[in-house]
Amino acid sequence: PAMPNFQTYNIVPTLPAALEPLREVSFNVWWTWEPSARRLFRHLDPELWNRTNHNPIRMLQLSRQARLEELATDKTFLRELKQVYDAFQKYLTRKDTYGKTGAGAAMQKPVAYFSAEFGFHESIPNYSGGLGILSGDHCKSASDLDLNFVAIGLLYRHGYFRQEIDKDGIQHAVSLNQNFHHLPIREVQRDNRALLVAVPILDRDVYARIWELQVGRVKLYLLDTDIPENKAEDRLITAELYGGDLEMRMRQEIVLGVGGVNALNALGIEPEVFHMNEGHSAFLGLERIRRLVAEKRLNFYAALQVAASANVFTTHTPVPAGNDSFPREMMRKYFASFATEIGLAFDEFFSFGQTRVNATDPFSMTILALRLSRHSNGVSKLHGEVSRALWKDVWTGVPAHEVPITHVTNGIHTKTWLAPEFLAVYDKYLGDWEENLTNEDFWRRVMDIPDAILWDAHQKLKLRLVEFVRGRVKAQRERLGESPELIRAANRILDPEILTIGFARRFATYKRGALLFTDKDRLHKLLNDSTRPVQFIFAGKAHPRDEGGKALIQDVYKISRESGFHNRIVFVEDYDTYIARRLVQGVDLWLNNPLRPLEASGTSGMKTPPNGGLNLSVLDGWWGESYNGNNGWAIGAEIKDGSIDFQSEVDGSSLYQLLENQIIPLYYAKPDGKLPLAWLQLMRESIRSVTPVFNTHRMVKEYTERLYIPAAQA
C-alpha cells in the first residue's frame, strides 16, 4: 500500500526558527526518560510546566509569543536546547545496538505488542495502573535496545479517571475529557484523508482511525472509534479505559484484537510475532486464523497451528477480576457468524474459551489466549508456578509441572524512575551505568559510593517528597473549603528527618491496604515515639465499581485525620506517575503486603532500590526472587492451609515485629552521630542486587531470546 502520511493536529504556535527543534522533541516521548529534556521544558516556563501536568505540547501551545522570542535569543537556553537535540539525534541514529548487532538482530520482521493500556507519563493519561506502566516501560526498553517492534492499543477519550477524596474519605471518580490536540500523537492519513480501518461488530462495520505515538525508536498505534463515520453508540467504544458494562468490554476487545490486526495490515506492517500483553487482545488470534482460512484456504485446525506458533501470551494476574470472561449468549451474539466463517460449529468454537471440564463455564479470554499461543508466560517465578496450577485443565491430562507456561519476571524502565540526583551519583562513581545496566558485576561498584554522598542524595529527595505532599494536601484542603487553620496545618504534615514508609498502588482488597491498621494502639506508639518515630504516605485509586477497595481508601483517609495520627499518616489523592516518581524516589522504605500468591509480580517496589530505598514486602511476586536477607525485609510466613483472616493476622503481627525490632532501631542507629551506617549498607546491597536484574532491558532481552525469536523461527 501507499505510504501513509500524517496530519499533525496539535497546533503548536509559530515557533521562532531557533526553537524549532523543541517541536520535534516534544512529539517523541523519549523526553519522558531523558532528564536533560525534562529540564529544558521546565526552563521554558516553570509555572506553566506544573500547570500543564508536564506536557510540552500544551506548554508550547500556551506559551506567550514574547516568551518564545525571548528564549530564541537566550544563549544559555539555546545551548541547552542544542545539547538535548544532539543527544536525541544521536539516540535515534545509533548503529551499535542490541537490535542491530546483538541477539535482537535475529528479528527481521517486527514484534507486534498488543495491550489495553500504555502508561508513559502523567501528561498522556491512557493508563490505569501497573499493566499500563509495564506496557509503557516495555516499549521504552524495546526502543533503547532498538528492537524491531511495534505496539498496538486503544486511545481513550476519557483515559481512566481523576480521583478526588471528599471530607469523609470517599473516592469520587472525575471524568477526564482528553483533547487529543494536547497529546504527542499524529493522525495517520492516506491521500490526505484519515486512514480508517473497518472492524465488523454484529451486523455492521465500526470504523477506527489510527493515531501514531513515537516512543523513541519504536511506534505505538492507537485506535479511536470516536469519529463521525460511526453511530453514536460505536463512538463510545473507545470512550473510557475499563469503563462501561460487559458488552462494552466485549466491543473494546474486538476493536483492540481484530481492529489491531486490521490496522497493521492497513499500515503495511507484517509482524513475525504477536505478543498479547494480558487476555484483552486475544481476539487477535481469531482474526489471524480467519485470514488464513479465507486467504490461504487452510482449514481451521491447520490455520490454528500456523497462527499459534507466532503468538506469545503473557498473563498478569491470578485474580478473577483481571481475567475477562463472557457468557455463552453474548459470545453467540458477537461470534456465531464468525464461527461459521472459519468452519466450526458454535459449540466447538465456544469451547476454545473453556477448560472443557465444565460445559457451563463462561468464555475466558485468558483460556482463549493460552489455546491460541504456543508461547505463554507468567510475570515472576512464583506466578509461573501459580499459573501452571491455575490453568492446568486447559491441557487435559498434563501434570501441573509440565504445563507449558514459563515465566519472565517483570522489570522497570530504570531511567524513567531514577531521580536525576541518583543518576548524577551513578555517572560519577560507577561510570557508564546505562550501557552496563544488566551487568551484575558492574553494579558491585556501588560499594565504593561514599556514605555521605549516598545519604545526602537520598535526604534531598526525601525533603522534596515531604514538601510535595504538603503542597498536595494543602491544595486538597483548599478545594474542600476547610478552615484556614487546617490549611496552614498542612505545613506540619510529615517530617523529613524521620523514617518514611510509602504504600502506593491500586486499592484492590487483596493488596490489603489497611493491614497496618490492625493494631491501632501499637501503631500510635510507633508514630509518636519521642526518639524514633515513623511516618507513612499512602496513595492509590480503587476501580470506580470496587466498593471494597473504596472502603479501604476511606479507612486510611479517616485514620490520617484522627488525633495522634494526623501528621504522621497521609493519603495523597489522584495517584499518577508524577506522584509515583516522587514517592519511590523519596521514601526510605516501600511497603507491600498483598495476600500471597495473588500479586503476580508487582513492580512499584522495584522502583525504590535504584533511588536508595529499601523494600518491606510479603514474599510474593518479584520480591520472592530478589530478597536475599541483606537487601530489605520479608513479611510473614506463608500458611498453606489456614484461613485468609489467619494469614492476615500472622502478616500483621510480623509487620509490627519487623518495624519494632529491626527496621526502626537500624534506621536510627547512628554510631558517629550523623549517619545510619548499617542502614547505608542495606541501601547499597539493595541497589546492587535489584537494579541490574529487575529492569525492562533484562526483561525485553529475555522475551526476545526465549520467546520472540523461537516464535519467529517456528
Side-chain angles (χ1 to χ4, degrees):
M3 282 309 291
N5 55 344
F6 299 100
Q7 169 64 33
T8 302
Y9 255 107
N10 327 38
I11 310 304
V12 170
T14 314
L15 285 176
L19 300 186
E20 199 51 50
L22 278 175
R23 188 191 313 262
E24 203 179 322
V25 174
S26 68
F27 268 95
N28 188 320
V29 297
W30 169 84
W31 68 262
T32 64
W33 70 90
E34 189 46 63
S36 62
R38 295 200 302 270
R39 203 161 44 239
L40 181 74
F41 289 123
R42 193 181 311 116
H43 288 175
L44 187 71
D45 186 333
E47 189 272 330
L48 193 56
W49 176 244
N50 286 330
R51 189 152 56 87
T52 58
N53 208 14
H54 320 129
N55 181 336
I57 286 174
R58 193 71 190 119
M59 279 184 77
L60 292 175
Q61 290 168 344
L62 294 173
S63 289
R64 299 187 325 280
Q65 200 63 35
R67 173 63 179 155
L68 296 173
E69 301 292 349
E70 180 192 330
L71 285 169
T73 58
D74 179 330
K75 287 196 171 61
T76 310
F77 186 82
L78 292 178
R79 188 168 62 245
E80 212 179 324
L81 173 57
K82 182 178 184 328
Q83 283 166 349
V84 168
Y85 190 67
D86 288 350
F88 178 53
Q89 291 303 324
K90 187 179 165 194
Y91 176 87
L92 292 178
T93 53
R94 266 185 73 167
K95 296 285 182 276
D96 58 335
T97 56
Y98 174 83
K100 288 207 169 71
T101 60
M107 295 306 301
Q108 293 299 302
K109 289 181 174 176
V111 173
Y113 177 86
F114 283 64
S115 185
E117 47 171 315
F118 287 88
F120 297 105
H121 187 258
E122 56 273 12
S123 63
I124 311 165
N126 212 46
Y127 64 95
S128 81
L131 183 75
I133 300 301
L134 179 91
S135 305
D137 282 7
H138 192 120
C139 292
K140 290 173 182 178
S141 279
S143 166
D144 288 344
L145 295 168
D146 199 12
L147 198 61
N148 199 342
F149 186 91
V150 60
I152 298 284
L154 302 178
L155 183 64
Y156 303 98
R157 176 64 67 185
H158 300 294
Y160 194 44
F161 67 90
R162 286 201 35 242
Q163 178 197 52
E164 287 186 354
I165 306 292
D166 70 16
K167 276 182 175 161
D168 300 314
I170 295 168
Q171 166 182 295
H172 295 271
V174 179
S175 184
L176 283 166
N177 192 8
Q178 293 207 77
N179 185 332
F180 294 167
H181 303 299
H182 302 166
L183 300 178
I185 54 177
R186 294 183 161 107
E187 185 185 56
V188 180
Q189 296 204 334
R190 185 161 292 141
D191 304 327
N192 297 318
R193 293 220 310 274
L195 176 62
L196 301 184
V197 292
V199 188
I201 295 183
L202 300 174
D203 54 353
R204 60 186 179 278
D205 277 343
V206 172
Y207 294 95
R209 66 176 153 185
I210 308 171
W211 299 93
E212 183 189 276
L213 178 74
Q214 198 66 50
V215 186
R217 302 179 177 113
V218 305
K219 291 175 167 59
L220 163 64
Y221 292 104
L222 296 163
L223 304 183
D224 158 31
T225 65
D226 188 12
I227 53 174
E229 287 80 357
N230 286 331
K231 293 165 77 167
E233 64 177 303
D234 295 333
R235 295 185 70 155
L236 293 174
I237 293 173
T238 55
E240 197 179 347
L241 174 59
Y242 304 142
D245 57 10
L246 201 56
E247 192 122 6
M248 181 57 81
R249 180 67 65 93
M250 166 75 87
R251 292 174 183 190
Q252 285 188 341
E253 295 186 354
I254 292 172
V255 172
L256 175 61
V258 178
V261 171
N262 294 352
L264 288 166
N265 197 50
L267 290 161
I269 297 169
E270 291 179 42
E272 207 155 28
V273 175
F274 289 78
H275 185 173
M276 297 171 246
N277 191 43
E278 199 50 283
H280 308 113
S281 57
F283 291 141
L284 77 82
L286 296 177
E287 174 58 19
R288 293 190 57 228
I289 288 168
R290 188 196 66 75
R291 285 168 177 264
L292 288 163
V293 169
E295 294 161 17
K296 300 273 194 282
R297 300 280 182 254
L298 297 178
N299 69 30
F300 170 77
Y301 284 97
L304 168 66
Q305 296 309 327
V306 174
S309 65
N311 288 347
V312 173
F313 168 56
T314 300
T315 174
H316 280 270
T317 179
V319 178
N323 293 281
D324 289 338
S325 60
F326 299 108
R328 182 179 289 265
E329 284 320 302
M330 193 183 285
M331 284 302 293
R332 191 187 302 280
K333 177 176 164 185
Y334 283 87
F335 283 94
S337 60
F338 176 89
T340 308
E341 199 179 336
I342 57 172
L344 284 189
F346 178 76
D347 285 350
E348 190 179 356
F349 165 76
F350 189 81
S351 76
F352 274 84
Q354 296 179 305
T355 59
R356 301 177 181 158
V357 172
N358 183 348
T360 63
D361 283 348
F363 186 94
S364 159
M365 294 296 279
T366 300
I367 293 174
L368 178 69
L370 289 168
R371 289 201 188 282
L372 299 188
S373 306
R374 289 292 163 268
H375 311 270
S376 299
N377 68 287
V379 287
S380 70
K381 185 168 181 286
L382 176 62
H383 181 235
E385 291 166 19
V386 168
S387 299
R388 286 190 287 279
L390 190 62
W391 305 110
K392 67 180 187 304
D393 289 340
V394 174
W395 291 268
T396 315
V398 174
H401 66 277
E402 287 180 20
V403 165
I405 300 176
T406 180
H407 78 274
V408 175
T409 302
N410 281 347
I412 58 159
H413 185 260
T414 310
K415 206 170 178 186
T416 293
W417 300 100
L418 184 64
E421 290 80 354
F422 265 87
L423 191 141
V425 168
Y426 295 154
D427 280 347
K428 182 172 178 182
Y429 290 95
L430 273 62
D432 194 354
W433 64 271
E434 278 191 79
E435 291 303 307
N436 289 283
L437 178 57
T438 58
N439 177 347
E440 293 183 56
D441 284 340
F442 176 87
W443 283 88
R444 293 182 191 284
R445 298 182 189 187
V446 295
M447 299 305 167
D448 302 333
I449 303 172
D451 286 337
I453 298 288
L454 200 54
W455 191 244
D456 185 50
H458 178 65
Q459 287 302 103
K460 275 199 184 97
L461 292 166
K462 191 162 151 185
L463 177 61
R464 187 171 72 187
L465 168 65
V466 168
E467 287 171 348
F468 170 77
V469 170
R470 286 171 178 170
R472 285 293 177 111
V473 172
K474 196 173 173 190
Q476 180 186 8
R477 290 180 180 180
E478 283 168 352
R479 192 194 81 239
L480 293 172
E482 297 201 12
S483 69
E485 294 80 49
L486 273 173
I487 291 168
R488 276 196 302 276
N491 295 325
R492 293 195 295 279
I493 287 174
L494 305 179
D495 176 340
E497 293 305 314
I498 71 180
L499 173 62
T500 305
I501 300 176
F503 180 99
R505 54 192 34 84
R506 194 160 49 85
F507 264 73
T509 44
Y510 75 89
K511 293 177 189 271
R512 298 190 298 187
L515 189 69
L516 181 68
F517 305 115
T518 47
D519 191 337
K520 279 178 70 179
D521 294 340
R522 207 166 168 187
L523 179 61
H524 188 273
K525 270 203 195 85
L526 287 181
L527 299 176
N528 298 292
D529 188 284
S530 56
T531 54
R532 303 190 306 194
V534 59
Q535 60 196 9
F536 293 85
I537 305 172
F538 287 83
K541 296 174 177 176
H543 187 281
R545 288 195 297 278
D546 180 0
E547 296 307 323
K550 289 195 285 192
L552 284 177
I553 289 175
Q554 190 173 13
D555 288 347
V556 176
Y557 181 81
K558 282 185 162 168
I559 289 169
S560 78
R561 302 301 299 262
E562 285 177 23
S563 169
F565 295 91
H566 63 286
N567 285 343
R568 295 276 189 260
I569 290 182
V570 60
F571 187 94
V572 184
E573 69 180 359
D574 201 27
Y575 188 43
D576 66 359
T577 55
Y578 181 37
I579 293 174
R581 284 198 308 278
R582 283 285 173 270
L583 277 168
V584 298
Q585 292 170 6
V587 297
D588 298 304
L589 188 65
W590 194 256
L591 176 62
N592 181 39
N593 46 231
L595 195 62
R596 189 174 190 266
L598 299 180
E599 185 75 272
S601 177
T603 54
S604 58
M606 299 175 186
K607 293 162 189 159
T608 48
N611 294 296
L614 302 177
N615 277 276
L616 166 60
S617 173
V618 167
L619 283 171
D620 199 3
W622 77 281
W623 190 234
E625 291 163 57
S626 180
Y627 173 64
N628 67 13
N630 298 309
N631 60 356
W633 291 271
I635 296 170
E638 188 190 8
I639 291 143
K640 288 286 185 205
D641 43 12
S643 68
I644 288 176
D645 289 345
F646 183 54
Q647 179 76 60
S648 289
E649 208 176 299
V650 169
D651 290 346
S653 167
S654 169
L655 171 58
Y656 276 107
Q657 282 171 344
L658 286 167
L659 287 168
E660 291 161 349
N661 303 329
Q662 294 186 37
I663 296 168
I664 295 170
L666 198 73
Y667 181 83
Y668 286 102
K670 297 180 179 175
D672 64 349
K674 288 194 215 104
L675 299 173
L677 300 179
W679 187 275
L680 279 156
Q681 277 310 98
L682 281 175
M683 282 169 68
R684 282 197 187 83
E685 178 57 17
S686 171
I687 296 167
R688 183 205 67 75
S689 61
V690 175
T691 308
V693 181
F694 296 93
N695 61 70
T696 43
H697 278 36
R698 184 271 312 153
M699 180 189 91
V700 170
K701 284 178 182 174
E702 215 175 307
Y703 272 114
T704 303
E705 291 161 36
R706 289 184 39 217
L707 299 169
Y708 296 163
I709 292 172
Q713 293 170 347

